[in-house]
Amino acid sequence: MTTSAVARRAAPRRTVPRAAWWIANLSLAALFLYPFWVVVSQSIKTPAEAAAAPPTLFPASFSLANFTKLFSNENGGAGFMMQLGNSVLVSVGATLLTIFLSTLAGYGFARLRFRGSSLLFFATLATFMIPFQAVITPLYLVLHQIGLTNSLLGLMLVYTTFHLPFGIFLMRNSFAALPASIEEAALVDGCSLFRAMIRVLLPVAIPGVISTALFTFFASWNEFFAALILITDQSKYTLPVALSLLSSGTFGTLDWGALQSGVAVTIIPCIVIYILLQKYYVGGMLTGATK
């Protein structure tokens, strides 16, 4: 059998797996992108078309009336802008605080071995098994005793508490995956432990930092239950709670166009941030996986 005949017989074997790979990935992409398209298409329809039943998949005409109404005084636009600012404040604050604490704790667990460190690290990871709903009442009582009920600062601390274990896990793996010789060389050059961590190890472990930041920000940005329970003042609501109020409507009515435009406003920052930092996020999640 000639070389060309062998190549022709081997070609289908290579083509079929590649075609199957593309079909599977395109199917998954369509599955995940379809809900996003529904949100976008509903938000750029006219209010009448957005409320039509059954809904259309493609808008008959392009309109920004839903976004205009969302941010107008008619629909509480000033309140929506304030609630957008509340979400930014709480999410960014919880992210920065989680990064700071998880970096210090992750470095300690990875580099500073002490008696009981493994047990303490295991206890930290065990908090993953505690559902948030099970401790919402004790959390509310604790915040009440320290005067942080109905407070964005209290909500920020709650988010930090629940995202910290995963952040510690990521940062501990990030520091543990680095060669010890890097830190030893910095110590020989006269750096203290803290300075060696900040100036030498932390720049190399930046994928773990980015992964911790993205996970905390996305989870805080989209969190609904704690904000609904711990915040009672409408001026301090975050976006998920504001959207739930928007979905309730007036006299039982539901403005689908304004609601979907609000959902689009909530989604867009997450998509932009993830696209910009995707490379670091994937690298941080895989840090230490093959160690």
Side-chain angles (χ1 to χ4, degrees), residues 84-100 152 155-157 159-160 163 212-222 238 269 273:
L84 176 62
N86 293 340
S87 284
V88 172
L89 177 63
V90 171
S91 301
V92 172
T95 300
L96 295 177
L97 189 56
T98 301
I99 290 174
F100 176 75
L152 294 179
L155 187 62
M156 186 189 309
L157 294 177
Y159 288 167
T160 302
H163 301 146
T212 303
L214 289 179
F215 173 80
T216 305
F217 180 84
F218 292 158
S220 301
W221 182 264
N222 296 307
T238 55
I273 293 174

Side-chain angles (χ1 to χ4, degrees), residues 218-254:
F218 292 158
S220 301
W221 182 264
N222 296 307
E223 206 283 326
F224 170 78
F225 185 74
L228 179 66
I229 299 298
L230 301 178
I231 301 296
T232 57
D233 189 350
Q234 187 170 347
S235 64
K236 298 179 181 178
Y237 282 166
T238 55
L239 276 183
V241 182
L243 290 178
S244 71
L245 294 179
L246 186 61
S247 66
S248 63
T250 305
F251 301 113
T253 61
L254 179 57

Side-chain angles (χ1 to χ4, degrees), residues 32-221:
F32 284 99
L33 290 177
Y34 176 74
F36 178 70
W37 168 248
V38 171
V39 171
V40 174
S41 64
Q42 286 289 100
S43 63
I44 59 177
K45 294 177 181 178
T46 61
E49 186 182 1
T56 56
L57 185 59
F58 298 97
S61 59
F62 177 80
S63 173
L64 294 178
N66 291 315
F67 290 96
T68 303
K69 185 176 181 180
L70 180 68
F71 291 99
S72 66
N73 293 330
E74 175 188 354
N75 208 45
F80 189 83
M81 288 298 296
M82 182 181 298
Q83 291 149 358
L84 176 62
N86 293 340
S87 284
V88 172
L89 177 63
V90 171
S91 301
V92 172
T95 300
L96 295 177
L97 189 56
T98 301
I99 290 174
F100 176 75
L101 295 177
S102 61
T103 299
L104 295 179
Y107 176 79
F109 282 122
R111 297 298 187 184
L112 306 178
R113 294 294 181 179
F114 54 90
R115 178 176 296 181
S117 61
S118 299
L119 181 61
L120 183 59
F121 182 66
F122 175 78
T124 302
L125 296 184
T127 58
F128 283 129
M129 296 181 291
I130 303 176
F132 177 76
Q133 293 80 359
V135 295
I136 186 62
T137 301
L139 274 176
Y140 183 86
L141 295 176
V142 170
L143 292 177
H144 179 72
Q145 291 176 356
I146 61 178
L148 289 179
T149 53
N150 192 31
S151 167
L152 294 179
L153 176 60
L155 187 62
M156 186 189 309
L157 294 177
V158 170
Y159 288 167
T160 302
T161 301
F162 276 86
H163 301 146
L164 193 57
F166 188 70
I168 293 175
F169 172 75
L170 286 179
M171 292 309 300
R172 186 258 185 191
N173 286 351
S174 297
F175 285 121
L178 301 179
S181 57
I182 299 178
E183 183 181 16
E184 293 171 357
L187 296 176
V188 169
D189 289 339
C191 289
S192 62
L193 286 175
F194 183 77
R195 188 175 181 184
M197 180 193 71
I198 297 297
R199 301 290 297 274
V200 178
L201 295 181
L202 192 58
V204 186
I206 198 65
V209 176
I210 298 297
S211 298
T212 303
L214 289 179
F215 173 80
T216 305
F217 180 84
F218 292 158
S220 301
W221 182 264

